[in-house]
Amino acid sequence: MSEESASDFRAEYACSEGCDFRASLMDVVYRCPRCGGLLEVAHDVKALRTVSAAEWKRRFETRFGSARLPDGSGVWGKREWAYPQLPAEDIVSLGEGRVPLKPLPRMAAELGLAALDLKECGVSPTGSFKDWGMTVLVSAVKHMRARGVPLRAVACASTGDTSAALSAYCAAAGIPAVVFLPRDKVSLAQLVQPIANGARVLSLDTDFDGCMKLVQAVTADTGLYLANSMNSLRIEGQKMVAVELCQDLGWEPPDWVVIPGGNLGNASALGKGFELMLSLGLITRRPRIAVAQAQKANPLVRSFRGGFQELVPLQAEPTLASAIQIGNPVSFKRAVKVLKAFDGVVEDASESELANAAARADREGTFTCPHTGVALAALEKLVAQGVIARGSRVAVVSTAHGLKFADFKVGYHRGSLAEVTSQFANPPVELPATLDAVKGALADLG
Ligand SMILES: *Cc1c(COP(=O)(O)O)cnc(C)c1O
Ligand SMILES: [Zn+2]
């Protein structure tokens, strides 16, 4: 069977707020110049429909089995749905995506769920799901530079994971990267990642929202390309989390997907992935979506409780879930649209709830980050409230690898985290180095 090349398909920018603005993906534009709305990458769905659902599945499965990049990438193995006209030589892939779907059968049984699976998006080159989107953005920049668009560097504000991803992909592509980080508000691992990858790291005396304002101002006129999630290219990679999840489940979506949300780009991407699969017939049923926030940074929760009223930006307070300590989410409107389309709900978690939920999952062989803890805690609460019915099949998007947050884990098991009562603390046993002491410490193992 002949495969048409990916370049038989086309995608372009369109205004996400419904006005008729269109632009090439080669244009340096982040917002609609007519109405100020965010842009989205619009695919030629009619052209994509000329390939049957069965053929898309076959094609994706075939590439999924490849050990070689870019076919073996969870994003570029589905490149017709990401950035179809991008020439292969401009793809910058580090082997993102194609991550495990880890079942948590004990926790599922305890909660009365038919299935509970963690989509381990942090098992990835830089340890977070941000890689899924950054591969598309940096590839697009490589392509623009190759065609003479004058871009000196790529810049982002970050709560720690976006900057790590940007730095690694730019390093691979040989493109300068500049990252704006809120001083003392990212983990040590997150700080050292862009340093190691040779990015220019600006550590600023402000929070994420403060960094965001500055990077937007700087990128407005200096030939620096903005890599934050208002840049809708990233959504094109991140939406593959939804596609890969369905693929993992034999193209049968779960009843619920629970995802942590800060700037809300990822929740928006999830919706976009499901919508595309629905319109091309790869799935026929909509899952419901639950977005989880930390109580300390919950502007979406507050809006939801008032029936999705206008976003009221707030000053996010420090939370263990530092990557979602965001008070003014840029993708608020996109996320509300997705939540409405997927009969969604929003829930939040306290510091103690998120830390204990993360620790509970760890006891089943994973190593969850605090943000995934927020999602798991929200899941526990939604099941207790009866919103997520017993017997449901639930997938939780795990957004980063817990190894990036070693301080959080150590503090939890030492019992030293503020506002947290550690229910599952498992501190090391300190002993003299004698056989008797060791035997004594192991006597209860049976
Ligand atoms: C960025 C990030 C999030 C939040 O994603 P948004 O798209 O900003 O909502 C959640 N968890 C981790 C680990 C992240 O790095
Ligand atoms: Zn517009």
Side-chain angles (χ1 to χ4, degrees):
M1 181 177 300
S2 82
E3 267 195 23
E4 63 292 310
S5 83
S7 63
D8 292 342
F9 305 103
R10 280 263 171 282
E12 63 182 353
Y13 286 126
C15 175
S16 72
E17 307 250 324
C19 83
D20 62 359
F21 175 77
R22 299 257 158 176
S24 155
L25 297 186
M26 298 270 289
D27 290 349
V28 179
V29 56
Y30 316 109
R31 280 187 182 276
C32 174
R34 295 196 192 144
C35 74
L38 293 181
L39 300 176
E40 64 183 4
V41 174
H43 290 267
D44 183 349
V45 174
K46 215 172 125 202
L48 292 170
R49 278 209 188 104
T50 60
V51 176
S52 70
E55 170 59 16
W56 282 123
K57 290 177 186 176
R58 188 202 64 78
R59 202 177 286 186
F60 293 168
E61 305 277 357
T62 303
R63 295 186 191 141
F64 210 69
S66 170
R68 278 196 298 178
L69 299 177
D71 274 6
S73 154
V75 173
W76 298 107
K78 301 177 171 74
R79 58 186 158 272
E80 298 93 330
W81 292 18
Y83 190 154
Q85 66 267 40
L86 188 83
E89 67 268 20
D90 290 332
I91 291 177
V92 185
S93 175
L94 296 173
E96 53 289 324
R98 215 173 65 152
V99 303
L101 185 67
K102 161 94 175 75
L104 299 176
R106 292 206 294 272
M107 193 163 166
E110 286 163 19
L111 295 177
L113 298 172
L116 173 56
D117 298 310
L118 269 190
K119 187 61 178 161
E120 300 262 36
C121 299
V123 179
S124 191
T126 76
S128 88
F129 80 82
K130 299 294 198 297
D131 293 340
W132 297 63
M134 207 53 83
T135 184
V136 177
L137 184 142
V138 173
S139 299
V141 172
K142 185 176 177 194
H143 182 53
M144 287 188 268
R145 281 163 56 105
R147 300 291 162 96
V149 180
L151 293 172
R152 292 190 293 145
V154 190
C156 74
S158 179
T159 53
D161 288 330
T162 299
S163 41
L166 177 67
S167 306
Y169 283 86
C170 281
I175 299 170
V178 184
V179 308
F180 291 56
L181 292 175
R183 183 179 298 164
D184 299 332
K185 292 189 178 69
V186 306
S187 77
L188 187 62
Q190 289 171 322
L191 174 63
V192 82
Q193 285 183 289
I195 290 173
N197 289 135
R200 186 153 317 177
V201 179
L202 308 183
S203 182
L204 305 172
D205 260 325
T206 179
D207 58 5
F208 170 78
D209 296 298
C211 289
M212 193 62 229
K213 271 189 209 136
L214 277 167
V215 80
Q216 278 184 260
V218 167
T219 51
D221 57 4
T222 49
L224 264 62
Y225 191 70
L226 179 62
N228 279 97
S229 65
M230 69 175 52
N231 186 318
S232 51
L233 288 168
R234 283 173 52 197
I235 302 283
E236 293 312 293
Q238 288 173 209
K239 78 183 183 199
M240 299 307 179
V241 172
V243 184
E244 191 174 300
L245 173 63
C246 290
Q247 184 176 2
D248 292 337
L249 295 170
W251 303 104
E252 189 56 48
D255 299 318
W256 282 91
V257 183
V258 188
I259 185 166
N263 237 341
L264 303 175
N266 210 23
S268 311
L270 195 68
K272 197 165 186 232
F274 285 121
E275 291 288 5
L276 190 54
M277 285 186 283
L278 285 160
S279 58
L280 297 179
L282 279 79
I283 59 171
T284 52
R285 203 172 46 75
R286 280 171 191 269
R288 295 183 68 186
I289 292 179
V291 175
Q293 295 200 298
Q295 243 165 40
K296 304 272 189 185
N298 64 353
L300 182 69
V301 175
R302 291 174 196 222
S303 160
F304 174 71
R305 287 186 185 144
F308 283 126
Q309 53 191 204
E310 279 286 290
L311 172 71
V312 181
L314 51 83
Q315 180 75 41
E317 290 170 49
T319 166
L320 293 164
S322 50
I324 54 176
Q325 187 184 325
I326 293 174
N328 189 12
V330 68
S331 292
F332 172 78
K333 281 189 190 163
R334 290 203 272 224
V336 169
K337 224 184 270 177
V338 164
L339 283 164
K340 286 182 175 163
F342 288 85
D343 198 6
V345 299
V346 183
E347 185 54 271
D348 61 11
S350 70
E351 299 299 284
S352 208
E353 287 166 345
L354 75 88
N356 281 305
R360 184 180 184 183
D362 285 359
R363 296 189 64 111
E364 217 161 329
T366 178
F367 199 67
T368 49
C369 75
H371 322 87
T372 305
V374 169
L376 289 165
L379 167 66
E380 290 172 347
K381 293 168 85 168
L382 290 167
V383 170
Q385 292 160 16
V387 174
I388 296 184
R390 287 176 193 277
S392 299
R393 294 169 313 120
V394 179
V396 171
V397 177
S398 174
T399 48
H401 203 297
L403 285 171
K404 283 196 180 206
F405 302 90
D407 284 351
F408 160 70
K409 296 287 184 199
V410 171
Y412 179 87
H413 290 286
R414 275 197 186 129
S416 63
L417 296 180
E419 298 178 42
V420 173
T421 308
S422 303
Q423 288 168 245
F424 305 99
N426 180 32
V429 184
E430 296 186 350
L431 295 172
T434 67
L435 190 56
D436 279 353
V438 169
K439 282 186 172 167
L442 303 180
D444 66 332
L445 281 179

